[in-house]
Amino acid sequence: MNIKFGDAVRVLIGSHTGKAGLTLLSFLVVISIWVLVTYPLDFGTKEWSNPSVWADNPKAVPPKWVNLFPGSDRVAHSVLDSNTPEDTQIVGKIKSEIYRLPISHKFDGFPTFISFTLNGVEFLERPPLVTLSLIRPDGTIIHLLRHVPSGARDYEAAPIIRYDQTPFRILLTTDQTVRATLSNFHNIQYGTDYDERDLRNLSEQAAFGLPILGDQTTFAVLRGDYEFVVQATFTNAEDSLGAIKVVVGGDVFGGMGTDSQGRDLAVGLLFGFPVALFIGLLASTLTTTIGTSLGIISGYVGGWVDTAIQRLADVVANVPLLPILIFMVIVFGSNLFLIILMLVAFSWPSLTILIRSMVLQLRSGQLVEATQALGATQKRIMVRHILPQTAPFVFAQMIFFTPAAILAEAGLSFLGLGDPSIPTWGQILEQGFRTGAVYVGYWWWVLPPGLLIVLTAMAFVLIALAIEPVLNPRLRTMR
Protein backbone atom coordinates (compact mmCIF):
# COMPACT_ATOMS: atom_id res chain seq x y z
CA MET A 1 0.00 0.00 0.00
CA ASN A 2 2.98 2.30 -0.60
CA ILE A 3 1.77 3.67 -3.94
CA LYS A 4 1.50 7.45 -4.03
CA PHE A 5 -1.66 9.36 -4.91
CA GLY A 6 -0.14 10.61 -8.18
CA ASP A 7 0.73 7.06 -9.19
CA ALA A 8 -2.83 5.97 -8.39
CA VAL A 9 -4.21 8.69 -10.64
CA ARG A 10 -1.89 7.61 -13.46
CA VAL A 11 -3.04 4.00 -13.05
CA LEU A 12 -6.66 5.19 -13.22
CA ILE A 13 -6.20 7.34 -16.33
CA GLY A 14 -3.97 4.79 -18.04
CA SER A 15 -6.67 2.11 -18.32
CA HIS A 16 -9.58 2.00 -20.75
CA THR A 17 -11.91 1.12 -17.90
CA GLY A 18 -10.80 4.18 -15.95
CA LYS A 19 -11.24 6.46 -18.95
CA ALA A 20 -14.76 5.13 -19.53
CA GLY A 21 -15.64 5.60 -15.87
CA LEU A 22 -14.22 9.13 -15.75
CA THR A 23 -16.06 10.04 -18.97
CA LEU A 24 -19.37 8.86 -17.52
CA LEU A 25 -18.71 10.64 -14.24
CA SER A 26 -17.80 13.87 -16.07
CA PHE A 27 -21.06 13.61 -18.01
CA LEU A 28 -23.02 13.23 -14.76
CA VAL A 29 -21.22 16.13 -13.12
CA VAL A 30 -21.70 18.51 -16.07
CA ILE A 31 -25.43 17.81 -16.22
CA SER A 32 -25.71 18.18 -12.44
CA ILE A 33 -24.00 21.58 -12.51
CA TRP A 34 -26.27 22.74 -15.36
CA VAL A 35 -29.36 21.64 -13.42
CA LEU A 36 -28.21 23.42 -10.24
CA VAL A 37 -27.65 26.61 -12.22
CA THR A 38 -30.93 26.56 -14.16
CA TYR A 39 -33.40 24.91 -11.76
CA PRO A 40 -34.80 26.57 -8.60
CA LEU A 41 -33.68 24.88 -5.40
CA ASP A 42 -37.32 24.41 -4.36
CA PHE A 43 -38.17 22.78 -7.68
CA GLY A 44 -39.66 19.73 -5.97
CA THR A 45 -42.27 21.56 -3.92
CA LYS A 46 -42.78 24.60 -6.14
CA GLU A 47 -43.08 22.92 -9.53
CA TRP A 48 -42.81 19.11 -9.57
CA SER A 49 -45.51 18.60 -6.91
CA ASN A 50 -47.69 21.46 -8.19
CA PRO A 51 -50.42 20.12 -10.54
CA SER A 52 -51.18 23.57 -11.96
CA VAL A 53 -47.70 23.75 -13.53
CA TRP A 54 -48.44 20.67 -15.67
CA ALA A 55 -52.14 21.29 -16.30
CA ASP A 56 -51.63 21.97 -20.02
CA ASN A 57 -49.56 18.84 -20.66
CA PRO A 58 -51.05 15.61 -22.03
CA LYS A 59 -51.26 12.75 -19.54
CA ALA A 60 -49.15 9.59 -19.87
CA VAL A 61 -47.95 10.04 -23.45
CA PRO A 62 -44.63 8.87 -24.97
CA PRO A 63 -41.82 11.16 -26.18
CA LYS A 64 -42.28 12.87 -29.52
CA TRP A 65 -39.36 11.08 -31.14
CA VAL A 66 -41.46 7.91 -31.37
CA ASN A 67 -42.89 9.50 -34.54
CA LEU A 68 -39.53 8.78 -36.16
CA PHE A 69 -40.39 5.08 -36.19
CA PRO A 70 -42.09 3.74 -39.33
CA GLY A 71 -45.87 3.63 -39.08
CA SER A 72 -46.08 6.06 -36.15
CA ASP A 73 -48.07 9.24 -36.74
CA ARG A 74 -49.08 10.49 -33.31
CA VAL A 75 -50.47 13.99 -32.84
CA ALA A 76 -47.82 16.47 -31.72
CA HIS A 77 -48.48 18.63 -28.67
CA SER A 78 -48.83 22.32 -29.57
CA VAL A 79 -48.77 25.41 -27.35
CA LEU A 80 -49.96 28.59 -29.10
CA ASP A 81 -49.51 31.82 -27.16
CA SER A 82 -49.29 35.55 -27.79
CA ASN A 83 -49.11 38.78 -25.83
CA THR A 84 -49.27 41.14 -28.82
CA PRO A 85 -52.41 41.56 -30.92
CA GLU A 86 -52.10 41.38 -34.69
CA ASP A 87 -54.81 43.94 -35.24
CA THR A 88 -56.14 46.76 -33.05
CA GLN A 89 -59.12 48.93 -33.92
CA ILE A 90 -60.39 51.89 -31.87
CA VAL A 91 -63.79 53.47 -32.54
CA GLY A 92 -64.57 56.17 -30.01
CA LYS A 93 -64.03 54.58 -26.61
CA ILE A 94 -64.42 51.05 -27.95
CA LYS A 95 -61.20 49.14 -28.61
CA SER A 96 -60.97 45.76 -30.31
CA GLU A 97 -57.86 43.56 -30.28
CA ILE A 98 -57.49 40.45 -32.44
CA TYR A 99 -54.99 37.64 -31.81
CA ARG A 100 -54.41 34.96 -34.46
CA LEU A 101 -52.85 31.61 -33.56
CA PRO A 102 -52.34 29.34 -36.60
CA ILE A 103 -51.75 25.59 -36.32
CA SER A 104 -51.27 22.93 -38.96
CA HIS A 105 -52.88 19.54 -38.34
CA LYS A 106 -51.49 16.87 -40.69
CA PHE A 107 -51.96 13.83 -38.47
CA ASP A 108 -54.19 10.79 -38.75
CA GLY A 109 -55.49 11.19 -35.20
CA PHE A 110 -57.32 13.83 -33.20
CA PRO A 111 -55.95 16.09 -30.45
CA THR A 112 -56.44 14.78 -26.93
CA PHE A 113 -57.75 18.08 -25.54
CA ILE A 114 -58.02 21.82 -26.19
CA SER A 115 -57.56 24.44 -23.46
CA PHE A 116 -57.66 28.23 -23.38
CA THR A 117 -55.82 30.44 -20.87
CA LEU A 118 -56.25 34.16 -20.26
CA ASN A 119 -53.77 36.33 -18.30
CA GLY A 120 -53.64 39.88 -16.98
CA VAL A 121 -56.95 41.53 -17.89
CA GLU A 122 -56.98 45.22 -16.85
CA PHE A 123 -59.93 47.59 -17.27
CA LEU A 124 -61.13 50.92 -15.91
CA GLU A 125 -64.92 50.62 -15.97
CA ARG A 126 -66.45 47.51 -17.50
CA PRO A 127 -64.76 44.15 -18.13
CA PRO A 128 -64.00 43.23 -21.75
CA LEU A 129 -65.70 40.60 -23.84
CA VAL A 130 -63.29 37.86 -24.95
CA THR A 131 -64.30 35.47 -27.72
CA LEU A 132 -62.49 32.44 -29.13
CA SER A 133 -63.18 31.11 -32.62
CA LEU A 134 -61.69 28.32 -34.70
CA ILE A 135 -61.28 28.75 -38.48
CA ARG A 136 -61.11 25.31 -40.09
CA PRO A 137 -59.37 24.25 -43.34
CA ASP A 138 -62.71 24.09 -45.17
CA GLY A 139 -63.40 27.74 -44.34
CA THR A 140 -66.05 27.06 -41.69
CA ILE A 141 -65.85 28.92 -38.39
CA ILE A 142 -66.73 27.58 -34.95
CA HIS A 143 -67.36 30.18 -32.25
CA LEU A 144 -66.11 28.19 -29.29
CA LEU A 145 -66.20 30.57 -26.34
CA ARG A 146 -67.53 33.89 -25.06
CA HIS A 147 -66.13 35.02 -21.72
CA VAL A 148 -66.51 38.17 -19.63
CA PRO A 149 -64.33 38.57 -16.49
CA SER A 150 -66.06 39.54 -13.27
CA GLY A 151 -66.72 43.26 -12.90
CA ALA A 152 -65.50 45.72 -10.30
CA ARG A 153 -66.48 45.10 -6.69
CA ASP A 154 -67.56 47.84 -4.30
CA TYR A 155 -64.21 48.00 -2.54
CA GLU A 156 -62.09 47.99 -5.73
CA ALA A 157 -60.70 51.11 -7.34
CA ALA A 158 -59.71 51.51 -10.97
CA PRO A 159 -57.81 50.08 -12.69
CA ILE A 160 -59.35 46.67 -12.05
CA ILE A 161 -57.05 43.70 -12.62
CA ARG A 162 -58.21 40.14 -13.21
CA TYR A 163 -56.29 36.90 -13.77
CA ASP A 164 -52.96 38.37 -12.70
CA GLN A 165 -51.81 35.86 -10.07
CA THR A 166 -54.11 33.01 -11.12
CA PRO A 167 -54.86 32.86 -14.87
CA PHE A 168 -58.28 32.01 -16.21
CA ARG A 169 -58.07 28.53 -17.74
CA ILE A 170 -60.84 26.50 -19.31
CA LEU A 171 -60.62 23.00 -20.71
CA LEU A 172 -62.74 23.50 -23.81
CA THR A 173 -63.19 19.83 -24.61
CA THR A 174 -64.92 19.10 -21.29
CA ASP A 175 -67.03 22.26 -21.08
CA GLN A 176 -70.75 21.70 -21.52
CA THR A 177 -71.32 25.05 -23.24
CA VAL A 178 -68.57 24.31 -25.76
CA ARG A 179 -70.09 20.90 -26.49
CA ALA A 180 -73.47 22.55 -27.11
CA THR A 181 -71.79 25.02 -29.49
CA LEU A 182 -70.08 22.20 -31.39
CA SER A 183 -73.28 20.18 -31.68
CA ASN A 184 -75.17 23.20 -33.02
CA PHE A 185 -72.37 23.89 -35.50
CA HIS A 186 -72.47 20.37 -36.94
CA ASN A 187 -76.25 20.26 -36.98
CA ILE A 188 -76.44 23.48 -38.99
CA GLN A 189 -73.37 22.94 -41.19
CA TYR A 190 -73.63 19.23 -41.96
CA GLY A 191 -77.25 18.35 -41.18
CA THR A 192 -76.53 16.09 -38.24
CA ASP A 193 -78.78 15.64 -35.24
CA TYR A 194 -76.32 15.83 -32.37
CA ASP A 195 -77.20 16.63 -28.81
CA GLU A 196 -74.70 18.12 -26.37
CA ARG A 197 -74.58 14.79 -24.56
CA ASP A 198 -73.69 12.97 -27.79
CA LEU A 199 -70.38 14.82 -27.95
CA ARG A 200 -69.26 13.93 -24.45
CA ASN A 201 -65.56 12.98 -24.72
CA LEU A 202 -65.73 13.80 -28.45
CA SER A 203 -65.34 17.60 -28.44
CA GLU A 204 -61.82 17.59 -29.90
CA GLN A 205 -63.02 15.28 -32.68
CA ALA A 206 -65.94 17.57 -33.42
CA ALA A 207 -63.59 20.56 -33.59
CA PHE A 208 -60.97 18.88 -35.81
CA GLY A 209 -63.12 16.52 -37.81
CA LEU A 210 -65.98 15.96 -40.22
CA PRO A 211 -69.02 13.88 -39.25
CA ILE A 212 -69.38 10.53 -40.99
CA LEU A 213 -72.97 10.64 -42.12
CA GLY A 214 -74.97 7.56 -41.32
CA ASP A 215 -72.60 6.61 -38.51
CA GLN A 216 -73.69 8.09 -35.21
CA THR A 217 -71.20 10.46 -33.53
CA THR A 218 -68.21 9.29 -35.57
CA PHE A 219 -65.78 11.74 -37.12
CA ALA A 220 -63.08 11.66 -39.77
CA VAL A 221 -59.98 13.82 -39.36
CA LEU A 222 -60.06 17.09 -41.25
CA ARG A 223 -56.41 17.70 -42.11
CA GLY A 224 -55.10 21.11 -42.98
CA ASP A 225 -54.34 24.54 -41.56
CA TYR A 226 -56.43 25.78 -38.63
CA GLU A 227 -56.43 29.15 -36.94
CA PHE A 228 -57.60 30.11 -33.48
CA VAL A 229 -58.83 33.71 -33.37
CA VAL A 230 -59.16 35.53 -30.05
CA GLN A 231 -60.98 38.87 -30.05
CA ALA A 232 -61.05 41.13 -26.99
CA THR A 233 -63.52 44.03 -27.04
CA PHE A 234 -62.89 46.76 -24.45
CA THR A 235 -65.15 49.63 -23.41
CA ASN A 236 -62.16 51.89 -22.84
CA ALA A 237 -59.15 52.41 -25.06
CA GLU A 238 -56.82 52.22 -22.05
CA ASP A 239 -57.97 48.71 -21.09
CA SER A 240 -55.55 45.89 -21.90
CA LEU A 241 -55.08 42.17 -22.09
CA GLY A 242 -51.84 40.57 -20.86
CA ALA A 243 -51.50 37.30 -22.77
CA ILE A 244 -53.54 34.48 -24.24
CA LYS A 245 -52.69 30.82 -24.77
CA VAL A 246 -54.35 27.95 -26.60
CA VAL A 247 -53.05 24.43 -26.01
CA VAL A 248 -53.84 21.62 -28.43
CA GLY A 249 -52.98 18.41 -26.62
CA GLY A 250 -51.16 15.67 -28.48
CA ASP A 251 -50.34 11.99 -28.20
CA VAL A 252 -46.60 12.69 -27.77
CA PHE A 253 -44.70 15.22 -25.69
CA GLY A 254 -41.11 16.39 -25.18
CA GLY A 255 -38.01 14.27 -25.07
CA MET A 256 -39.12 11.75 -22.43
CA GLY A 257 -42.92 11.86 -22.42
CA THR A 258 -45.17 12.56 -19.43
CA ASP A 259 -46.53 10.69 -16.43
CA SER A 260 -50.17 10.28 -15.40
CA GLN A 261 -50.20 13.81 -13.95
CA GLY A 262 -48.83 15.38 -17.13
CA ARG A 263 -45.42 16.10 -15.59
CA ASP A 264 -42.56 16.35 -18.06
CA LEU A 265 -40.44 13.30 -17.24
CA ALA A 266 -37.38 14.85 -18.90
CA VAL A 267 -37.48 17.66 -16.33
CA GLY A 268 -37.77 15.23 -13.42
CA LEU A 269 -35.04 12.96 -14.75
CA LEU A 270 -32.65 15.89 -15.19
CA PHE A 271 -33.29 17.06 -11.63
CA GLY A 272 -32.44 13.55 -10.47
CA PHE A 273 -28.80 13.89 -11.62
CA PRO A 274 -27.56 16.24 -8.87
CA VAL A 275 -29.80 14.53 -6.31
CA ALA A 276 -28.27 11.13 -7.10
CA LEU A 277 -24.70 12.45 -6.93
CA PHE A 278 -25.47 14.38 -3.74
CA ILE A 279 -26.89 11.26 -2.07
CA GLY A 280 -24.08 9.01 -3.23
CA LEU A 281 -21.14 11.32 -2.52
CA LEU A 282 -22.44 12.64 0.82
CA ALA A 283 -23.36 9.20 2.14
CA SER A 284 -20.11 7.60 0.94
CA THR A 285 -17.96 10.44 2.29
CA LEU A 286 -19.56 10.34 5.72
CA THR A 287 -19.50 6.54 5.82
CA THR A 288 -15.82 6.27 4.89
CA THR A 289 -14.90 9.10 7.28
CA ILE A 290 -16.61 7.45 10.24
CA GLY A 291 -15.55 3.93 9.32
CA THR A 292 -11.90 4.90 8.69
CA SER A 293 -11.60 7.01 11.85
CA LEU A 294 -13.06 4.33 14.10
CA GLY A 295 -11.03 1.60 12.40
CA ILE A 296 -7.72 3.46 12.86
CA ILE A 297 -8.50 4.32 16.49
CA SER A 298 -9.62 0.76 17.21
CA GLY A 299 -6.58 -0.86 15.62
CA TYR A 300 -3.93 1.51 16.98
CA VAL A 301 -5.16 2.35 20.47
CA GLY A 302 -6.32 -1.18 21.31
CA GLY A 303 -7.45 -2.19 24.79
CA TRP A 304 -10.95 -1.41 25.95
CA VAL A 305 -11.33 1.20 23.18
CA ASP A 306 -10.76 -1.50 20.56
CA THR A 307 -13.21 -3.83 22.27
CA ALA A 308 -15.91 -1.17 22.57
CA ILE A 309 -15.65 -0.08 18.93
CA GLN A 310 -15.64 -3.65 17.61
CA ARG A 311 -18.64 -4.71 19.72
CA LEU A 312 -20.50 -1.59 18.58
CA ALA A 313 -19.65 -2.42 14.97
CA ASP A 314 -20.92 -5.99 15.44
CA VAL A 315 -24.20 -4.74 16.90
CA VAL A 316 -24.81 -2.09 14.22
CA ALA A 317 -23.86 -4.47 11.41
CA ASN A 318 -26.57 -6.92 12.52
CA VAL A 319 -29.37 -4.37 12.91
CA PRO A 320 -31.88 -4.63 10.02
CA LEU A 321 -31.98 -1.28 8.25
CA LEU A 322 -35.39 -1.49 6.57
CA PRO A 323 -37.56 -1.89 9.70
CA ILE A 324 -35.65 0.91 11.45
CA LEU A 325 -36.08 3.20 8.46
CA ILE A 326 -39.80 2.44 8.21
CA PHE A 327 -40.17 3.31 11.89
CA MET A 328 -38.20 6.55 11.47
CA VAL A 329 -40.29 7.58 8.46
CA ILE A 330 -43.50 6.97 10.40
CA VAL A 331 -42.26 9.01 13.36
CA PHE A 332 -40.39 11.86 11.61
CA GLY A 333 -41.83 11.74 8.09
CA SER A 334 -40.08 11.17 4.75
CA ASN A 335 -36.97 13.31 4.49
CA LEU A 336 -33.95 12.97 2.23
CA PHE A 337 -31.46 13.85 4.95
CA LEU A 338 -33.07 11.29 7.27
CA ILE A 339 -32.52 8.62 4.61
CA ILE A 340 -28.88 9.66 4.17
CA LEU A 341 -28.39 9.67 7.95
CA MET A 342 -29.78 6.14 8.24
CA LEU A 343 -27.62 4.90 5.37
CA VAL A 344 -24.51 6.34 7.01
CA ALA A 345 -25.42 5.13 10.49
CA PHE A 346 -25.66 1.50 9.37
CA SER A 347 -22.96 1.34 6.66
CA TRP A 348 -19.72 2.09 8.51
CA PRO A 349 -19.11 -1.17 10.52
CA SER A 350 -17.73 -3.25 7.63
CA LEU A 351 -15.14 -0.61 6.77
CA THR A 352 -14.18 -0.18 10.43
CA ILE A 353 -13.46 -3.90 10.75
CA LEU A 354 -11.34 -3.96 7.58
CA ILE A 355 -9.36 -0.84 8.48
CA ARG A 356 -8.69 -2.23 11.98
CA SER A 357 -7.12 -5.38 10.52
CA MET A 358 -4.88 -3.24 8.30
CA VAL A 359 -3.85 -1.00 11.19
CA LEU A 360 -2.91 -3.98 13.35
CA GLN A 361 -0.30 -4.89 10.73
CA LEU A 362 0.90 -1.32 10.25
CA ARG A 363 1.20 -0.75 14.00
CA SER A 364 3.95 -3.38 14.27
CA GLY A 365 5.84 -2.02 11.26
CA GLN A 366 9.23 -0.36 11.45
CA LEU A 367 7.92 3.07 10.40
CA VAL A 368 5.43 3.29 13.27
CA GLU A 369 7.90 1.89 15.79
CA ALA A 370 10.55 4.44 14.71
CA THR A 371 8.03 7.25 14.99
CA GLN A 372 7.05 6.09 18.46
CA ALA A 373 10.72 6.03 19.47
CA LEU A 374 11.02 9.67 18.38
CA GLY A 375 8.23 10.55 20.81
CA ALA A 376 5.41 11.28 18.34
CA THR A 377 1.91 11.40 19.83
CA GLN A 378 -0.73 8.81 19.02
CA LYS A 379 -2.76 11.38 17.11
CA ARG A 380 0.21 12.35 14.94
CA ILE A 381 1.08 8.74 14.18
CA MET A 382 -2.51 7.89 13.22
CA VAL A 383 -2.96 10.99 11.04
CA ARG A 384 0.50 11.36 9.47
CA HIS A 385 1.72 7.77 9.15
CA ILE A 386 -1.16 5.28 9.31
CA LEU A 387 -3.90 7.16 7.47
CA PRO A 388 -1.79 7.83 4.31
CA GLN A 389 -0.99 4.13 4.01
CA THR A 390 -4.67 3.20 4.16
CA ALA A 391 -5.81 6.08 1.94
CA PRO A 392 -5.84 4.18 -1.41
CA PHE A 393 -7.99 1.46 0.12
CA VAL A 394 -10.26 4.02 1.78
CA PHE A 395 -10.65 5.90 -1.50
CA ALA A 396 -11.58 2.69 -3.30
CA GLN A 397 -14.14 1.88 -0.61
CA MET A 398 -15.65 5.35 -0.92
CA ILE A 399 -16.09 4.78 -4.65
CA PHE A 400 -17.82 1.46 -3.93
CA PHE A 401 -20.06 3.04 -1.28
CA THR A 402 -21.27 5.76 -3.70
CA PRO A 403 -23.30 3.55 -6.09
CA ALA A 404 -24.43 1.47 -3.12
CA ALA A 405 -25.92 4.59 -1.51
CA ILE A 406 -27.58 5.65 -4.78
CA LEU A 407 -29.09 2.20 -5.25
CA ALA A 408 -30.18 2.08 -1.61
CA GLU A 409 -32.01 5.40 -1.90
CA ALA A 410 -33.62 4.31 -5.15
CA GLY A 411 -34.76 1.09 -3.51
CA LEU A 412 -36.19 2.90 -0.50
CA SER A 413 -37.97 5.41 -2.76
CA PHE A 414 -39.32 2.51 -4.80
CA LEU A 415 -40.84 1.15 -1.58
CA GLY A 416 -42.51 4.52 -0.95
CA LEU A 417 -40.08 5.63 1.78
CA GLY A 418 -38.44 8.47 -0.20
CA ASP A 419 -38.78 12.21 0.27
CA PRO A 420 -41.89 13.25 -1.74
CA SER A 421 -40.72 16.87 -1.96
CA ILE A 422 -37.63 15.99 -4.03
CA PRO A 423 -38.01 14.09 -7.33
CA THR A 424 -35.50 11.26 -7.59
CA TRP A 425 -35.15 8.45 -10.10
CA GLY A 426 -36.34 5.96 -7.51
CA GLN A 427 -39.48 7.99 -6.87
CA ILE A 428 -40.26 8.27 -10.58
CA LEU A 429 -39.95 4.49 -10.80
CA GLU A 430 -42.14 4.00 -7.74
CA GLN A 431 -44.87 6.28 -9.08
CA GLY A 432 -44.77 4.45 -12.39
CA PHE A 433 -45.19 1.04 -10.77
CA ARG A 434 -47.84 2.34 -8.37
CA THR A 435 -49.98 3.62 -11.24
CA GLY A 436 -49.51 0.45 -13.31
CA ALA A 437 -47.16 1.88 -15.94
CA VAL A 438 -45.53 -1.52 -16.46
CA TYR A 439 -48.81 -3.30 -17.07
CA VAL A 440 -50.25 -0.76 -19.53
CA GLY A 441 -47.04 -0.34 -21.51
CA TYR A 442 -45.79 3.09 -20.38
CA TRP A 443 -42.18 2.10 -21.05
CA TRP A 444 -40.97 5.74 -21.20
CA TRP A 445 -41.97 6.11 -17.55
CA VAL A 446 -40.04 3.09 -16.28
CA LEU A 447 -37.01 2.45 -18.50
CA PRO A 448 -35.24 5.88 -18.41
CA PRO A 449 -34.99 6.22 -14.60
CA GLY A 450 -33.88 2.59 -14.29
CA LEU A 451 -31.23 3.04 -16.97
CA LEU A 452 -29.97 6.26 -15.36
CA ILE A 453 -29.59 4.50 -12.00
CA VAL A 454 -27.59 1.74 -13.70
CA LEU A 455 -25.53 4.26 -15.69
CA THR A 456 -24.61 6.22 -12.58
CA ALA A 457 -23.68 3.07 -10.69
CA MET A 458 -21.61 1.87 -13.65
CA ALA A 459 -19.58 5.10 -13.67
CA PHE A 460 -18.34 4.46 -10.14
CA VAL A 461 -17.96 0.70 -10.65
CA LEU A 462 -15.72 1.29 -13.69
CA ILE A 463 -13.58 3.72 -11.70
CA ALA A 464 -13.34 1.21 -8.86
CA LEU A 465 -12.26 -1.53 -11.25
CA ALA A 466 -9.66 0.78 -12.79
CA ILE A 467 -8.01 1.53 -9.45
CA GLU A 468 -8.03 -2.11 -8.36
CA PRO A 469 -4.34 -2.49 -9.38
CA VAL A 470 -3.56 0.19 -6.78
CA LEU A 471 -4.87 -2.11 -4.08
CA ASN A 472 -3.51 -5.34 -5.53
CA PRO A 473 0.17 -4.98 -6.63
CA ARG A 474 0.05 -8.32 -8.43
CA LEU A 475 -2.41 -6.83 -10.93
CA ARG A 476 0.05 -4.01 -11.60
CA THR A 477 2.83 -6.46 -12.43
CA MET A 478 0.50 -8.44 -14.70
CA ARG A 479 -0.19 -5.29 -16.71
Side-chain angles (χ1 to χ4, degrees):
M1 211 64 70
N2 295 323
I3 188 170
K4 297 180 180 179
F5 179 77
D7 297 332
V9 172
R10 280 189 288 272
V11 171
L12 174 62
I13 298 177
S15 66
H16 296 294
T17 304
K19 292 177 182 178
L22 290 175
T23 301
L24 283 177
L25 182 59
S26 301
F27 171 74
L28 298 174
V29 171
V30 169
I31 292 183
S32 299
I33 294 174
W34 179 81
V35 170
L36 292 175
V37 172
T38 57
Y39 280 50
L41 295 180
D42 57 350
F43 169 79
T45 55
K46 186 178 180 180
E47 297 187 21
W48 185 254
S49 301
N50 185 1
S52 63
V53 175
W54 317 103
D56 285 329
N57 289 355
K59 311 298 188 264
V61 298
K64 60 184 180 182
W65 45 262
V66 298
N67 277 341
L68 298 176
F69 298 133
S72 180
D73 186 33
R74 293 174 176 264
V75 180
H77 184 75
S78 301
V79 178
L80 316 171
D81 55 5
S82 176
N83 56 10
T84 304
E86 288 193 9
D87 186 22
T88 302
Q89 297 178 355
I90 300 178
V91 179
K93 288 186 176 182
I94 305 300
K95 181 176 70 170
S96 177
E97 294 181 348
I98 297 178
Y99 301 79
R100 299 184 182 276
L101 304 173
I103 178 175
S104 180
H105 188 81
K106 307 292 185 181
F107 306 98
D108 294 333
F110 293 97
T112 55
F113 68 89
I114 305 171
S115 70
F116 174 67
T117 303
L118 191 62
N119 286 277
V121 177
E122 183 176 326
F123 57 93
L124 296 177
E125 300 174 359
R126 295 181 180 180
L129 170 64
V130 180
T131 62
L132 173 65
S133 303
L134 175 62
I135 302 177
R136 293 158 37 107
D138 57 2
T140 56
I141 301 176
I142 306 177
H143 301 288
L144 294 172
L145 177 70
R146 291 170 59 90
H147 175 71
V148 178
S150 59
R153 302 177 180 90
D154 295 337
Y155 57 85
E156 290 182 313
I160 310 301
I161 299 176
R162 295 285 183 264
Y163 314 136
D164 184 27
Q165 300 296 328
T166 304
F168 167 77
R169 180 182 182 273
I170 180 172
L171 191 59
L172 298 173
T173 47
T174 60
D175 186 77
Q176 183 177 359
T177 304
V178 174
R179 288 201 303 268
T181 300
L182 289 169
S183 62
N184 291 334
F185 167 79
H186 281 278
N187 292 340
I188 295 173
Q189 190 71 32
Y190 302 106
T192 58
D193 188 22
Y194 293 151
D195 184 75
E196 173 268 324
R197 290 170 294 182
D198 296 332
L199 297 184
R200 192 168 296 171
N201 300 323
L202 296 174
S203 296
E204 58 277 351
Q205 296 186 25
F208 281 77
L210 295 172
I212 300 177
L213 300 180
D215 197 345
Q216 188 176 9
T217 62
T218 303
F219 296 89
V221 177
L222 177 60
R223 299 180 182 86
D225 296 327
Y226 290 77
E227 186 176 56
F228 288 94
V229 179
V230 178
Q231 182 173 358
T233 304
F234 304 94
T235 59
N236 192 298
E238 295 184 10
D239 296 349
S240 63
L241 178 63
I244 53 111
K245 179 172 67 172
V246 175
V247 177
V248 180
D251 293 320
V252 291
F253 181 88
M256 287 295 173
T258 62
D259 62 9
S260 59
Q261 300 181 48
R263 294 181 297 195
D264 188 353
L265 289 175
V267 176
L269 292 172
L270 284 173
F271 192 80
F273 277 89
V275 175
L277 290 183
F278 173 76
I279 293 171
L281 294 177
L282 181 60
S284 63
T285 301
L286 293 177
T287 299
T288 52
T289 300
I290 296 173
T292 302
S293 301
L294 293 178
I296 292 176
I297 294 173
S298 176
Y300 185 77
V301 176
W304 68 269
V305 175
D306 180 26
T307 302
I309 292 177
Q310 292 306 304
R311 297 296 75 78
L312 177 62
D314 292 338
V315 171
V316 173
N318 288 280
V319 173
L321 174 61
L322 186 59
I324 296 296
L325 187 57
I326 293 175
F327 173 77
M328 298 294 285
V329 168
I330 293 174
V331 174
F332 299 103
S334 299
N335 186 279
L336 181 62
F337 289 98
L338 176 64
I339 295 175
I340 295 176
L341 178 63
M342 291 294 101
L343 293 176
V344 172
F346 292 94
S347 300
W348 59 267
S350 59
L351 182 59
T352 295
I353 295 172
L354 291 173
I355 294 296
R356 172 184 177 270
S357 63
M358 295 174 61
V359 174
L360 289 177
Q361 297 178 358
L362 295 173
R363 186 177 65 176
S364 58
Q366 294 181 355
L367 175 62
V368 175
E369 290 181 352
T371 308
Q372 290 174 339
L374 293 174
T377 62
Q378 289 185 340
K379 179 180 178 181
R380 181 178 180 84
I381 293 175
M382 288 187 291
V383 174
R384 297 293 299 274
H385 300 286
I386 293 180
L387 178 60
Q389 296 188 68
T390 61
F393 178 79
V394 171
F395 180 69
Q397 290 300 307
M398 184 178 71
I399 294 175
F400 275 117
F401 278 135
T402 301
I406 295 173
L407 292 173
E409 187 279 332
L412 293 172
S413 295
F414 184 78
L415 295 175
L417 302 177
D419 190 342
S421 65
I422 301 177
T424 64
W425 297 331
Q427 280 194 10
I428 294 175
L429 268 177
E430 186 271 334
Q431 292 164 357
F433 274 84
R434 178 159 46 86
T435 54
V438 175
Y439 306 105
V440 295
Y442 296 160
W443 53 267
W444 61 90
W445 194 349
V446 178
L447 288 180
L451 292 176
L452 287 176
I453 292 172
V454 173
L455 180 68
T456 305
M458 280 298 299
F460 290 96
V461 169
L462 290 174
I463 294 175
L465 292 175
I467 66 171
E468 191 174 6
V470 177
L471 309 177
N472 190 344
R474 287 179 295 180
L475 294 178
R476 295 203 301 272
T477 57
M478 292 173 60
R479 293 188 180 187

